[in-house]
Structures are given as C-alpha cells and as structure tokens.
C-alpha cells in the first residue's frame, strides 16, 4: 500500500510541476527599446526573458501621459506585438522573433509576447 501512495504522490507532483511551467512561460532572449529621459538623454531599456501572454507596460513610457518609447528591437525567440497605447491598446505592430531593429519612428508604450489577444 505504501508503494501505491508514494507513486500517486510522485505522479501528482509531476503533474503539478508540468502545469505550472505552462502558465509561466517566457520569451527567451532580449527585447530593447529607447526613450528620452527628463534630462534629454537617450536611454535604452532591455527586458531579459520577458513573460509571454501578458501585457507589459514598459518602464518610463508605459503611461499614455508620458512620451512614448521608440525603436523596439525583438531579439527573443517569440513574436511580439508592440502597442502605441498603454495596457496594450491603440495602434499595434507585430515584430517577428529574432528580427531586425525597428525604425526609431515606431513608438511603443506596451508589449505582449506570444500570440496576440483577439
């Protein structure tokens, strides 16, 4: 009877671990964007292995009252949708995985890695 209980507990633990890894997936690699700070200096922000499937309001530009970031560069293994508005709203563009840098005229405030929400 102990073997059955132990085997059941092990299978339950494996199932739990596998279900958790699916919900916390991350795009592997780097995503960069630029912005101009309050002193007029251009800054580059890098997201390392960003979480997939969730809207990310970007640091220093992720509010509709702020000047947007620009020039996004997706060096992750996952496509990304970049949004001009905060909270993944407004005009959007899709950047492919491991793509070239976008032009500095492409503005961004929020992003979502993985499949776009319909």
């Amino acid at each position: 009877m102990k073997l059955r209980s132990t085997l059941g507990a092990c299978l339950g633990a494996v199932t739990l671990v596998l279900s958790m890894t699916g919900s916390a997936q991350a795009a592997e690699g780097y995503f960069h964007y630029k912005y101009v700070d309050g002193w007029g200096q251009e800054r580059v922000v890098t997201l390392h292995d960003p979480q997939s499937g969730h809207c990310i309001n970007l640091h220093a530009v992720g509010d509709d009252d702020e000047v947007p970031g620009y020039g996004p560069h997706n060096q992750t293994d996952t496509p990304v949708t970049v949004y001009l508005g905060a909270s993944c709203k407004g005009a959007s563009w899709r950047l492919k995985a491991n793509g070239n840098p976008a032009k500095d005229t492409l503005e961004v405030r929020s992003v979502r890695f993985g499949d776009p929400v319909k």
Side-chain angles (χ1 to χ4, degrees), residues 25-94:
Q25 292 179 346
E28 292 185 15
Y30 300 94
F31 176 83
H32 314 276
Y33 66 96
K34 300 179 257 186
Y35 75 98
V36 176
D37 69 16
W39 293 276
Q41 298 294 311
E42 183 177 78
R43 303 289 181 191
V44 176
V45 177
T46 301
L47 304 179
H48 177 69
D49 295 342
Q51 188 175 15
S52 293
H54 297 280
C55 182
I56 302 170
N57 286 326
L58 298 174
H59 169 74
V61 299
D63 187 298
D64 288 327
D65 293 332
E66 297 171 339
V67 176
Y70 56 92
H73 185 188
N74 185 21
Q75 291 183 299
T76 71
D77 63 350
T78 304
V80 63
T81 304
V82 298
Y83 296 85
L84 180 54
S87 302
C88 295
K89 295 182 179 165
S92 64
W93 294 266
R94 190 87 166 147

Side-chain angles (χ1 to χ4, degrees), residues 100-114:
N100 293 321
K103 294 183 179 185
D104 284 350
T105 55
L106 180 57
E107 297 179 328
V108 60
R109 284 194 175 95
S110 57
V111 296
R112 184 185 316 271
F113 290 85

Side-chain angles (χ1 to χ4, degrees), residues 5-20:
S5 297
T6 303
L7 184 59
C10 286
L11 287 175
V14 168
T15 302
L16 180 61
V17 168
L18 291 176
S19 69
M20 289 174 61

